[in-house]
Amino acid sequence: MNLKEQIRDVKDFPKAGIVFKDITTLLKNPEALNYAIDELYLCAKEAGVNKVVGIESRGFILGGAIAAKLGVGFVPVRKPGKLPAETLKETYSLEYGTDTIEIHKDAVSEGDKVLLHDDLLATGGTARAACNLIEKLGGKVAQVSFIIELNFLNGRKAIEGYDIRSLISYDSE
Ligand code: AMP
């Protein structure tokens, strides 16, 4: 299965100059969807995690499927104001300005071994902030996985030291 062929490039979305990697073309193809879930599940199995944390919103899709296949629970990391109970927040820098993500305070416990999952690694700012949230709650980030990695944005540097997995990578736009 060539997963790269399943990704659609959308130029100038959500703004001029960005090439958006659209995974909806992969998701609607049952063979590609199952293949991506299986590959990420096999990576995660090695790490022996007891929880999967997925980042809003595309990280929820495969994150939930991987958690179900592993037989462990799923925890959402969301944009501000979406989670109903008490949360822990982490703010991180973007090229212009800042962004914030949240997790429920009781979602991760001391000693949890966690897989963090998102659809795509770009600069790594979002994943770094999510790792910080998990660790502040006493969890250990045992693996960080993505469908896509944009090598030219050096996201690995932001999450150096973690077990980082990706199924597809791009050396240039
Ligand atoms: P970053 O924090 O820079 O690593 O950005 C990662 C987050 O932004 C992920 O949740 C991605 O879904 C999204 N993202 C960033 N760049 C792109 C892109 N070129 N195509 C699709 N999603 C992107």
Side-chain angles (χ1 to χ4, degrees), residues 13 18-22 55-59 92 94 118-127 146 148 150 153 155 173:
F13 183 88
I18 307 268
V19 180
F20 191 84
K21 298 292 181 197
D22 179 17
I55 301 177
E56 183 169 1
S57 58
R58 289 180 296 277
Y92 56 100
L94 301 171
D118 200 2
D119 68 324
L120 182 144
L121 174 64
T123 66
T126 314
F146 305 91
I148 301 168
L150 303 181
L153 294 176
E173 279 190 338

Side-chain angles (χ1 to χ4, degrees), residues 1-11 20-36 58 61-62 119-120 147-148 168 170:
M1 166 67 64
N2 185 344
L3 273 190
K4 223 175 206 177
E5 287 173 358
Q6 305 296 322
I7 307 293
R8 171 165 58 192
D9 280 0
V10 182
K11 291 206 172 92
F20 191 84
K21 298 292 181 197
D22 179 17
I23 62 161
T24 64
T25 38
L26 181 158
L27 297 175
K28 75 173 181 183
N29 175 332
E31 288 84 28
L33 176 62
N34 266 290
Y35 179 82
R58 289 180 296 277
I61 306 165
L62 266 56
D119 68 324
L120 182 144
I147 304 172
I148 301 168
I168 312 168
Y170 294 84

